Amino acid sequence: MKIGLALGSGGPRGLAHVGVLKVLLSHGIQPDIIAGTSIGALIGGAYATLGSIEEVELLAYSADMKAVLSALFDPSLRTGIIKGQKATQFLREKIGDADIASLSPTFFAVATDISTGEPVVFDRGSLVDAIRASVSIPLMFQPVNVGGRLLADGGLTQVVPVKVAHEHGADVVIAVNLNARLAEPLLPDQRWPGVLRRVAGQSIAVLQYNLARENCRDADIVIAPDVYGIGWDSFWKPAPVIEGGEQATLAMLPRILEKLGR
């Protein structure tokens, strides 16, 4: 039985994926296939190339504010406010740049062709280039030109890449959904500076919520860490988010073991 792990998108909430992997591996549940979108591609790819979730966790704890901001301070006035070249170099220094086809467990990263609206699945080639494409949040990062295709965040098409894991041979897919519920709702009488930004943000969250729910329909198990309200500063304060992933996985562990016949 091949076990697939679908790691979803969610920005800094994606550090919960570290906690998920820690618990699964500590209970002898080794994924044969990992499919990752956006931050899920980053965590999944780092684990697949380093071969140790402890090393991935150490990287998470070692990424202080100065290092993260330095990697992101790469301004552009074109198709995104961040070029992404410094972030790419940062990744190469931290995890190397293996050929995806050589990784074990088998790994897939999902990006989106913004010209056609189709998902693009990386199954070979540069790991860092695949991650860079998968995490290219629209307007924040410049899209990546790969083979003449302009690629952006995989979360535009597959917030949780369950389908990718199934299509590439997984018999059982464990999905990690970081968009399983919405944050606190907007109220009709709310009036304050910045309400338009809140409405825009909530609108995007609704789209992600519904797409994630649809993506997870074919998952055998869905882990939904309670990591809402997490800000970007979590990249240098990762402990609560990682712990959220651990707790959610422990809560689902009996069902996971039952599904795996253990």
Side-chain angles (χ1 to χ4, degrees), residues 135-175:
V135 303
S136 294
I137 300 170
L139 301 182
M140 183 175 179
F141 281 97
Q142 283 187 359
V144 181
N145 187 332
V146 178
R149 305 178 78 177
L150 204 57
L151 306 184
D153 197 303
L156 295 172
T157 48
Q158 294 201 26
V159 176
V160 190
V162 174
K163 183 178 180 181
V164 173
H166 270 308
E167 287 180 343
H168 289 87
D171 300 303
V172 173
V173 176
I174 301 168

Side-chain angles (χ1 to χ4, degrees), residues 87-163:
T88 298
Q89 182 58 34
F90 180 82
L91 288 175
R92 288 199 173 103
E93 291 172 358
K94 296 298 183 181
I95 66 172
D97 195 8
D99 187 321
I100 292 174
S102 71
L103 298 177
S104 180
T106 305
F107 174 72
F108 303 94
V110 182
T112 300
D113 184 326
I114 60 173
S115 297
T116 66
E118 295 295 320
V120 175
V121 179
F122 287 85
D123 60 359
R124 60 177 57 86
S126 163
L127 172 64
V128 168
D129 286 350
I131 293 172
R132 167 67 178 87
S134 187
V135 303
S136 294
I137 300 170
L139 301 182
M140 183 175 179
F141 281 97
Q142 283 187 359
V144 181
N145 187 332
V146 178
R149 305 178 78 177
L150 204 57
L151 306 184
D153 197 303
L156 295 172
T157 48
Q158 294 201 26
V159 176
V160 190
V162 174
K163 183 178 180 181

